[in-house]
Amino acid sequence: MGSNIYGEKRECMQRASTGEKNWVEHGRVLNDEIVDEVLREQGHGVLSIALDGDVYARPMSFGYDGQSLYFQLAAPPGSPKSKFAECGVTAELVISEFESVDDWHSVVVRGELNGVPNGEEGAAFGAIADNAVFPQNAIDTGECQGFELVRLSIESAEGRVGPSATVTEQRRLGGPQASD
């Protein structure tokens, strides 16, 4: 990272330490349409679960069909990643993009993680093919003898964008108005 980013971070921290209001403006809330667009375009994030007193977070490629997120898990039995195949656990997926301390966006999706029911695999594979960054069936699975399809049923999806979002994000949001 260049020294410019460190300078921007230092400036932000100085503004915060002086009590200056809106030092990062906490970003602007993304509307549902933009959250949907980010989910369709990004195709990669960090999936996290808490299970039996342990926390697991892994970068994952995903598919999105407008209602649910789909993941293709290829992990050796007993590995930390195999824990994501547990049924009925609450999970969060974080998708973010960072250009600078003021130019960023993020989306957090929360819901229940379950296996894809028999007969619905085609829909899951279709969603993965449409927007996953790196479908796992395209790689050698190594020790894995197969894979599992899991679905995150979306209970909530929220997003924010930084105060100096790129021109594209400003246009999509309808201007630089802040909302909190």
Side-chain angles (χ1 to χ4, degrees):
M1 293 188 172
S3 61
N4 186 31
I5 290 177
Y6 294 117
E8 289 176 20
K9 286 181 182 177
R10 189 176 314 110
E11 182 182 329
C12 259
M13 294 307 290
Q14 288 170 340
R15 286 185 286 180
S17 67
T18 62
E20 183 180 320
K21 214 66 165 133
N22 295 324
W23 60 279
V24 179
E25 294 183 41
H26 305 289
R28 290 180 305 273
V29 174
L30 294 175
N31 64 39
D32 291 343
E33 181 181 314
I34 304 304
V35 168
D36 186 73
E37 188 175 324
V38 168
L39 293 173
R40 288 188 191 284
E41 291 178 2
Q42 296 288 132
H44 190 270
V46 176
L47 184 63
S48 302
I49 61 170
L51 189 63
D52 299 328
D54 286 321
V55 176
Y56 302 92
R58 297 292 183 268
M60 298 286 291
S61 199
F62 65 88
Y64 175 61
D65 68 359
Q67 305 235 308
S68 298
L69 298 169
Y70 296 92
F71 304 90
Q72 185 175 341
L73 302 176
S79 72
K81 194 173 185 181
S82 69
K83 299 288 186 190
F84 288 94
E86 297 283 335
C87 289
V89 298
T90 298
E92 284 192 346
L93 178 74
V94 177
I95 302 120
S96 64
E97 194 168 299
F98 176 85
E99 293 296 324
S100 74
V101 294
D102 291 327
D103 185 0
W104 52 269
H105 70 262
S106 64
V107 169
V108 178
V109 179
R110 182 180 180 87
E112 189 173 301
L113 201 59
N114 284 297
V116 172
N118 288 336
E120 295 182 25
E121 299 90 14
F125 280 124
I128 290 169
D130 282 346
N131 73 308
V133 171
F134 192 68
Q136 289 188 355
N137 66 350
I139 63 171
D140 179 13
T141 57
E143 299 174 30
C144 304
Q145 299 301 311
F147 60 86
E148 291 193 50
L149 289 173
V150 294
R151 172 176 54 205
L152 180 66
S153 301
I154 299 174
E155 294 170 8
S156 66
E158 300 173 343
R160 298 185 80 72
V161 64
S164 297
T166 63
V167 174
T168 303
E169 288 169 335
Q170 291 283 349
R171 186 177 63 245
R172 290 191 314 195
L173 289 169
Q177 308 95 318
S179 64
D180 258 308

